[in-house]
Amino acid sequence: MRHLLHRPFATGLLVIGLFVVVSNARGQSDTLPANGSIRQSLLLPTDSPSNTPASYLTGTDAPALDLAARVEALEKALQAAKDKEAAAKAKAAGAPSASAGGRIFLDSYTFDQSQLSHGTYGNAENSVLFRAARLEVNGDAFQDLSYQIELDFAQSTVVFKDTFIALHELPLAGNFIAGHYKEPISLEERTSSKYITFMERSLANALCPARNTGVSLYSWAPTQRATWMAGCFAVVGDHPPTLTSDDGPYSVAARVTWLPWYDAPSDGRGLIHLGMGVRYQNSEGTLRFYSRPEVGLFPTTNGTTTSSCVVDTGNFAATGFTTLNPEFALVYGPLSFQSEWLGALTDGYGAIGNAFLHGYYVQVSYFLTGEHRRYKTKAGVFDRIKPIENFFRWRTCDGSVATGTGAWEFAYRFSQLDLNDSAAGVLGGRVYDSTFGVNWYWNPYTRVMLNYVCSTATLPVGNPIDIAGGGGTENIVEMRFQIDF
């Protein structure tokens, strides 16, 4: 060793060799760290400006930690937005909401009468009128409470329609409603006029009540395959007056529906509807039933005609009547059938016995464009038609014309109303209607309707309209432009 130190070249070689051995040992230690630090070392990026794990994890150039921080900040922001939305909903739940709506029905009527009809009822004049011009406001008032106000301005005076307050989510009972609305009877009557197939309801509807003021409970099965509704009402009609009698007319009514078949995956493109309604109404000593043809207005000039009717019992002695109403409907794709029968048994007194009056209708419809009649399962009624393609026509950028067909529906209905019971002394007459209809749905909220009605009535001798008897046939063409919003 002493000799090496005296030899600079040999000493230099020795120092260099020792340096290489030490460096190699340190390199092996850095490449294969002991214990569990191997995984941590493998995670270090090769281009990291610092070779030590501590500087990588805690330094300013830590992309993994930066990404985690951003994700955490995003989660906090999303949670804050959810909390803000929940607070807004809670605040809104404590204040009533309101939304406006309405409908417009513009109708035209053209009449062609037989000679007998002209002699019995007088001249039926062609006319154009607003069949409905309604405005409504509805909304929620503190969570499970809802309301609606609906008025019709189409007549010379303002007419009350659906105006009520409803309370929902009640235990056992389900829902409670109080106000002025339709009684629970008849599929056709309870289906909104916005969604019925023809411009007017059938002749049998003469045995159904108008809207009355009362209270009801209603609900539906958890599967929404069955519904029920029951209530009691003061019989006041669409012009709610102050009752003038301590024991003024009242009614009780109930209706149940069931869907033995409902194709839920296709949104009711196939279904069978069964229903039953029953109703009792008392009276203050007299009853009266009457009907126009299936037209919104039958304007005649004959002074003996009562309320422009083709059949009319006039007032007859009775203390009340009971109505029974079975319902049936079938939807099979674009094809549908619907039928109801209504029978009313009166409680006569004096010279008038118990009278039995009845009516029915059968209708069929078909969508040429493939749509189907939609059904509202929680109410047991039919709902809005939604065209597969809305009607439109405009010119595109290349100059061609693009069009949409809308939905086209053809329909036929036969209906009858028999207000005769000669054994009981009730001579109201009998009428039959055949109605052909074409509906063109521009979109879910607008449609054009064309109906042809052939109505034939027979009046017995002693009828209030014409004591000599009569009747006759009316051929009616009616058209409607309809929009609701």
Side-chain angles (χ1 to χ4, degrees), residues 19-202:
F19 180 79
V20 170
V21 171
V22 172
S23 298
N24 187 48
R26 291 186 61 185
Q28 291 178 357
S29 177
D30 290 342
T31 304
L32 298 172
N35 301 330
S37 61
I38 296 176
R39 182 176 299 175
Q40 184 176 355
S41 299
L42 292 174
L43 292 174
L44 296 176
T46 57
D47 58 349
S48 174
S50 175
N51 290 331
T52 63
S55 64
Y56 176 71
L57 293 175
T58 60
T60 57
D61 300 310
L65 282 184
D66 184 59
L67 178 60
R70 292 188 180 187
V71 171
E72 183 179 0
L74 179 60
E75 290 177 345
K76 290 181 178 180
L78 290 175
Q79 186 60 44
K82 290 180 180 179
D83 293 342
K84 184 177 180 180
E85 183 180 1
K89 288 183 177 180
K91 182 178 180 181
S97 64
S99 60
R103 71 190 72 174
I104 299 172
F105 297 170
L106 176 59
D107 291 5
S108 68
Y109 309 125
T110 302
F111 298 92
D112 178 39
Q113 297 175 267
S114 67
Q115 185 175 359
L116 180 59
S117 171
H118 195 281
T120 302
Y121 307 111
N123 181 49
E125 300 174 345
N126 301 339
S127 57
V128 176
L129 78 157
F130 284 98
R131 184 69 172 91
R134 302 184 193 177
L135 291 177
E136 69 177 63
V137 177
N138 60 71
D140 299 321
F142 194 74
Q143 297 178 346
D144 295 330
L145 192 66
S146 64
Y147 71 93
Q148 178 170 312
I149 302 171
E150 184 182 36
L151 301 175
D152 195 340
F153 299 89
Q155 309 300 323
S156 57
T157 58
V158 178
V159 178
F160 275 80
K161 294 299 182 181
D162 291 324
T163 302
F164 56 80
I165 300 171
L167 183 61
H168 309 286
E169 304 296 337
L170 296 175
L172 300 179
N175 305 272
F176 170 81
I177 181 171
H180 186 254
Y181 54 93
K182 293 179 179 179
E183 295 190 27
I185 190 168
S186 176
L187 171 62
E188 185 183 45
E189 176 62 28
R190 289 196 55 81
T191 298
S192 171
S193 61
K194 297 182 292 185
Y195 313 137
I196 58 176
T197 303
F198 298 90
M199 290 176 58
E200 300 295 331
R201 294 181 173 89
S202 68

Side-chain angles (χ1 to χ4, degrees), residues 325-382:
N325 169 222
E327 310 168 0
F328 170 80
L330 167 68
V331 174
Y332 194 78
L335 181 66
S336 75
F337 296 91
Q338 181 175 321
S339 181
E340 293 183 78
W341 177 84
L342 289 102
L345 180 63
T346 69
D347 303 322
Y349 70 91
I352 300 295
N354 296 339
F356 178 69
L357 313 174
H358 65 97
Y360 69 91
Y361 71 89
V362 179
Q363 71 179 50
V364 59
S365 71
Y366 186 81
F367 282 93
L368 298 180
T369 45
E371 292 79 5
H372 69 280
R373 296 186 73 192
R374 294 179 178 267
Y375 187 87
K376 190 179 298 185
T377 56
K378 290 184 178 180
V381 298
F382 283 103

Side-chain angles (χ1 to χ4, degrees), residues 394-402:
W394 62 62
R395 191 168 296 279
T396 62
C397 297
D398 60 2
S400 61
V401 176

Side-chain angles (χ1 to χ4, degrees), residues 219-226 378:
S219 189
W220 50 86
T223 60
Q224 298 184 21
R225 298 284 286 267
K378 290 184 178 180

Side-chain angles (χ1 to χ4, degrees), residues 284-295:
E284 296 179 300
T286 59
L287 287 176
R288 178 189 174 209
F289 296 94
Y290 56 90
S291 179
R292 298 185 296 261
E294 292 172 350
V295 62

Side-chain angles (χ1 to χ4, degrees), residues 389-474:
E389 178 183 61
N390 290 337
F391 167 70
F392 62 88
R393 181 178 176 85
W394 62 62
R395 191 168 296 279
T396 62
C397 297
D398 60 2
S400 61
V401 176
T403 60
T405 59
W408 286 86
E409 179 186 25
F410 283 73
Y412 171 75
R413 177 176 66 197
F414 179 82
S415 62
Q416 176 200 342
L417 178 63
D418 188 348
L419 299 182
N420 286 332
D421 191 333
S422 56
V426 177
L427 305 173
R430 184 182 295 111
V431 57
Y432 304 88
D433 277 13
S434 287
T435 302
F436 299 86
V438 179
N439 297 323
W440 182 20
Y441 299 84
W442 291 1
N443 54 60
Y445 306 95
T446 310
R447 67 174 171 175
V448 179
M449 309 179 72
L450 180 65
N451 286 183
Y452 164 71
V453 183
C454 180
S455 180
T456 301
T458 303
L459 301 179
V461 175
N463 182 269
I465 293 177
D466 190 339
I467 196 170
T473 299
E474 298 81 39

Side-chain angles (χ1 to χ4, degrees), residues 211-292:
R211 291 174 177 84
N212 285 312
T213 300
V215 295
S216 297
L217 294 172
Y218 68 96
S219 189
W220 50 86
T223 60
Q224 298 184 21
R225 298 284 286 267
T227 72
W228 66 270
M229 183 175 184
C232 56
F233 302 84
V235 181
V236 294
D238 285 344
H239 301 264
T242 301
L243 294 178
T244 57
S245 172
D246 291 338
D247 57 350
Y250 67 88
S251 66
V252 291
R255 177 177 182 254
V256 294
T257 69
W258 177 44
L259 293 172
W261 173 49
Y262 182 79
D263 189 45
S266 64
D267 193 23
R269 195 169 174 83
L271 65 86
I272 293 177
H273 163 98
L274 300 177
M276 177 64 72
V278 62
R279 179 178 183 269
Y280 172 78
Q281 176 183 324
N282 79 331
S283 71
E284 296 179 300
T286 59
L287 287 176
R288 178 189 174 209
F289 296 94
Y290 56 90
S291 179
R292 298 185 296 261

